[in-house]
Amino acid sequence: MKFRSKNTVKPEFNMASMTDLIFLLLIFFMLTSNLVTPTALPVNLPSSKEGIIEIQKVNVTVTEDLEYFVNERKVVFSKLEEEIKSSLKGEKYQSGDKTVPVVVLHIDKTVDVEYLVKVAGIVNGLGAKISLATKSE
């Protein structure tokens, strides 16, 4: 007498759970990649012990060669205020009881403080909050 098992192993593989997992990982990496916005300009930032991470929407960069960039677009100093003003339109962040725009300054550590003060004065004159980008020690 030959006994047959009613439970036979089928050599098929169900890919439905695998594709769900791949899509979840894809969505996770797409969302987290938008949160990290590294500056692509070659700037040697000063060091600090501790820092607060700001959401970077409007970036102003001053390189070692005194080239000015607003959101990675090269700008001459005479047009800097106009470019920052146009970039700030619609950019608002909650700060306490009121909503203010935030500008993150990426200033090379070899640049004189005079240029930092000039750019900060322009941003302050536009009514925006100033945040200085640094790298941790």
Side-chain angles (χ1 to χ4, degrees):
M1 252 181 136
K2 199 171 191 184
F3 293 106
R4 288 190 184 180
S5 173
K6 292 185 180 189
N7 297 332
T8 59
V9 178
K10 296 180 182 178
E12 298 172 4
F13 183 71
N14 189 357
M15 290 291 292
S17 61
M18 184 68 76
T19 55
D20 290 345
L21 182 64
I22 297 298
F23 281 123
L24 285 173
L25 286 173
L26 179 67
I27 290 170
F28 172 77
F29 286 120
M30 285 173 46
L31 290 176
T32 56
S33 68
N34 289 339
L35 297 177
V36 179
T37 54
T39 178
L41 298 171
V43 178
N44 192 8
L45 296 174
S47 300
S48 68
K49 288 185 179 182
E50 207 175 296
I52 298 172
I53 298 175
E54 290 278 351
I55 298 173
Q56 299 182 18
K57 293 289 183 179
V58 179
N59 298 317
V60 177
T61 306
V62 181
T63 64
E64 184 179 14
D65 302 326
L66 297 180
E67 294 177 326
Y68 297 90
F69 294 87
V70 176
N71 291 338
E72 299 183 12
R73 265 180 297 167
K74 192 172 182 177
V75 179
V76 294
F77 184 76
S78 60
K79 302 280 184 182
L80 187 63
E81 184 172 1
E82 296 170 20
E83 191 66 31
I84 295 172
K85 186 184 252 184
S86 67
S87 296
L88 284 175
K89 288 186 180 175
E91 299 295 338
K92 301 287 183 187
Y93 304 99
Q94 194 68 28
S95 175
D97 293 338
K98 59 182 183 174
T99 306
V100 294
V102 177
V103 175
V104 180
L105 301 180
H106 296 266
I107 310 288
D108 194 283
K109 69 180 182 180
T110 59
V111 172
D112 290 335
V113 177
E114 172 187 359
Y115 299 101
L116 168 65
V117 172
K118 285 181 181 179
V119 174
I122 291 171
V123 173
N124 192 29
L126 294 172
K129 179 182 171 187
I130 301 167
S131 180
L132 186 62
T134 60
K135 63 180 178 182
S136 60
E137 290 181 339

